[in-house]
């Protein structure tokens, strides 16, 4: 069997009608690239390099700005998570120390400072903490956690704590009966 017969799918064994002297001609295809014809446009190497240079400059300017805005958002969320962790710690302490401190624990915050203290002795648990630079509590708050972990906000009956810097505000919501918390960015 000849190579041309294999390519064209002809075989004497398969019952083809070819004669021994027949030679099937294969069409030759050009492996060359097509020649540029008038009216067609193409991109030259200098044009391609120029576009890549412009894209590189744009990326060099945009990436640091994006990273900076992402870092600021991370700092903001970090401050909120710290306050949430402090509130959860106060709740946990109220439940764990119910036998020795039946009055529970309070979590307080105002300005840019927040802390935990025992309701019966008024003694602060640990050093007061501060929010990240420029962040403030919109209103002062005091949350009392009883020995069952329920929360009551003693400052005006509010069930949310707002933390703000400039036009950005984060809210921490308290669920009184369970002492549960959730936080989110408001705007």
């Amino acid at each position: 069997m000849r190579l041309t017969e294999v390519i064209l799918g002809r075989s004497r064994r398969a019952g083809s009608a070819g004669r021994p002297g027949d030679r099937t001609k294969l069409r030759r295809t050009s492996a060359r690239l097509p020649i540029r014809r008038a009216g067609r446009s193409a991109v030259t190497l200098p044009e391609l390099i120029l576009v890549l240079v412009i894209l590189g400059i744009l990326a060099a300017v945009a990436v640091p700005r994006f990273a900076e805005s992402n870092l600021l958002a991370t700092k903001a969320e970090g401050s909120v998570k710290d306050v949430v962790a402090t509130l959860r710690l106060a709740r946990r302490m109220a439940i764990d120390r119910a036998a020795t401190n039946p009055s529970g624990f309070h979590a307080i915050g105002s300005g840019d400072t927040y802390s935990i203290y025992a309701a019966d002795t008024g003694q602060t648990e640990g050093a007061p903490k501060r929010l990240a630079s420029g962040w403030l509590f919109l209103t002062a708050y005091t949350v009392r956690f009883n020995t069952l972990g329920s929360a009551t906000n003693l400052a005006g009956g509010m069930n949310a704590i707002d933390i703000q810097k400039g036009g950005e505000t984060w809210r921490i919501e308290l669920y009184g009966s369970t002492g549960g918390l959730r936080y989110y960015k408001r705007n």
Side-chain angles (χ1 to χ4, degrees):
M1 182 180 291
R2 294 182 188 149
L3 179 62
T4 56
E5 292 173 347
V6 171
I7 292 173
L8 295 176
R10 297 180 185 163
S11 170
R12 288 185 194 185
R13 293 181 199 152
S16 70
R19 290 185 228 145
D22 279 351
R23 296 203 179 221
T24 308
K25 293 185 178 178
L26 292 176
R27 294 179 65 194
R28 292 187 178 203
T29 58
S30 173
R32 289 186 251 154
L33 295 174
I35 299 172
R36 187 173 175 184
R37 295 190 176 114
R40 289 191 165 190
S41 62
V43 178
T44 63
L45 185 60
E47 291 170 336
L48 183 61
I49 290 173
L50 180 66
V51 168
L52 291 175
V53 167
I54 291 171
L55 288 175
I57 291 170
L58 288 175
V61 170
V63 169
R65 288 188 183 200
F66 176 73
E68 181 180 317
S69 67
N70 196 17
L71 179 63
L72 293 176
T74 304
K75 281 185 179 180
E77 190 169 0
S79 286
V80 172
K81 284 183 178 181
D82 284 346
V83 173
V84 167
T86 300
L87 290 166
R88 286 183 177 151
L89 177 62
R91 180 179 182 270
R92 184 79 248 157
M93 289 169 69
I95 294 169
D96 288 346
R97 299 183 191 176
T100 59
N101 184 2
S103 300
F105 282 83
H106 290 195
I108 60 169
S110 66
D112 67 345
T113 308
Y114 56 101
S115 60
I116 301 172
Y117 71 92
D120 60 351
T121 62
Q123 182 179 0
T124 303
E125 297 287 325
K129 296 181 179 180
R130 287 183 146 345
L131 295 171
S133 178
W135 288 89
L136 297 171
F137 293 106
L138 286 181
T139 57
Y141 73 91
T142 302
V143 179
R144 179 182 177 269
F145 290 97
N146 65 21
T147 56
L148 298 175
S150 298
T152 54
N153 190 327
L154 304 177
M158 296 170 39
N159 65 346
I161 300 167
D162 290 329
I163 302 171
Q164 183 177 35
K165 178 180 182 180
E168 186 176 354
T169 304
W170 286 74
R171 173 165 276 192
I172 302 169
E173 290 183 351
L174 304 164
Y175 299 103
S177 58
T178 62
L181 304 164
R182 111 181 157 120
Y183 66 93
Y184 56 91
K185 186 176 178 181
R186 288 186 69 188
N187 46 353

